[in-house]
Amino acid sequence: MSKPAITLWSDANFFSPYVLSVYVALQEKGLPFTLKTVDLNSGEHLQPSWQGYALTRRVPVLEIDGFELSESSAITEFLEESFAPPQWERIYPHDVQKRARARQVQAWIRSDLMPIREERSTDVVFAGVKKGPLSEAGKASAEKLFATAGSLLSHGKQNLFGEWCIADCDLALMLNRLVLNGDEVPEALAEYATFQWQRASVQRFIALSAKRSC
């Protein structure tokens, strides 16, 4: 099977957690791709001349052989189905129930925990910025995150489902919003987030944001 022409559109700072998820998925699949950026700060994504304007006007956008797709979880599921195991590396669990649970985790992280996302923006994760104490809403959101993540990881393993999957990347990012700010995080969850952050595909993305911040 020949490898298609793939382009991934990112924010110019490489701060998007959703771009991270797709970038990691492409890296783990071993798919070569071209990385392009759009400047969200200047509103470039709101201009009709931008490739993703007709979609959701957000990043990431994946362009593959003339087909364009936005929304990170839709993209990672598309990549898993289009470049399926065993020929390509797996990024979702093989077991159907575990795969559904991984998608549940992804959807939850993208739709809930807004106080954490607002009070611990990803410049904490990718640029080392430090934020002040969490609000009461932020603390409540953190406790919800800890309870849910603790339940998912109660088996004591280093990955959610025994072997790494893309949901590990997404969950670790959410936890690292707190861990990397120096907030109090249960030890087991902090260790999980730190372990996931050392994955080579994640570190390659972090290097992009670090280079941009210099």
Side-chain angles (χ1 to χ4, degrees), residues 3-134:
K3 294 181 179 180
I6 300 175
T7 298
L8 172 63
W9 285 91
S10 169
D11 60 300
N13 292 326
F14 301 105
F15 280 7
S16 169
Y18 312 117
V19 172
L20 166 68
S21 189
V22 175
Y23 180 95
V24 167
L26 287 165
Q27 289 276 334
E28 296 288 342
K29 285 285 184 187
L31 292 167
F33 61 97
T34 299
L35 187 61
K36 295 184 179 181
T37 62
V38 58
D39 190 343
L40 305 186
N41 293 332
S42 69
E44 187 180 357
H45 59 303
L46 302 177
Q47 302 303 314
S49 58
W50 179 53
Q51 195 88 4
Y53 180 85
L55 300 175
T56 57
R57 306 183 193 180
R58 303 198 295 185
V59 293
V61 168
L62 186 81
E63 181 185 354
I64 176 167
D65 286 347
F67 174 66
E68 297 167 357
L69 185 65
S70 63
E71 298 302 311
S72 57
S73 58
I75 294 172
T76 56
E77 290 182 26
F78 169 77
L79 290 172
E80 182 76 330
E81 293 174 4
S82 299
F83 303 96
Q87 184 172 356
W88 306 92
E89 292 298 318
R90 186 179 301 280
I91 59 171
Y92 282 94
H94 173 73
D95 178 81
V96 65
Q97 291 185 357
K98 291 180 179 179
R99 188 161 63 249
R101 185 73 71 204
R103 289 169 171 162
Q104 175 192 322
V105 170
Q106 288 186 295
W108 171 61
I109 287 171
R110 285 157 174 73
S111 62
D112 201 350
L113 308 171
M114 183 59 74
I116 297 177
R117 288 188 276 158
E118 290 178 345
E119 298 178 37
R120 297 292 182 266
S121 55
T122 53
D123 54 1
V124 169
V125 177
F126 298 120
V129 174
K130 299 298 181 184
K131 307 287 186 177
L134 289 168

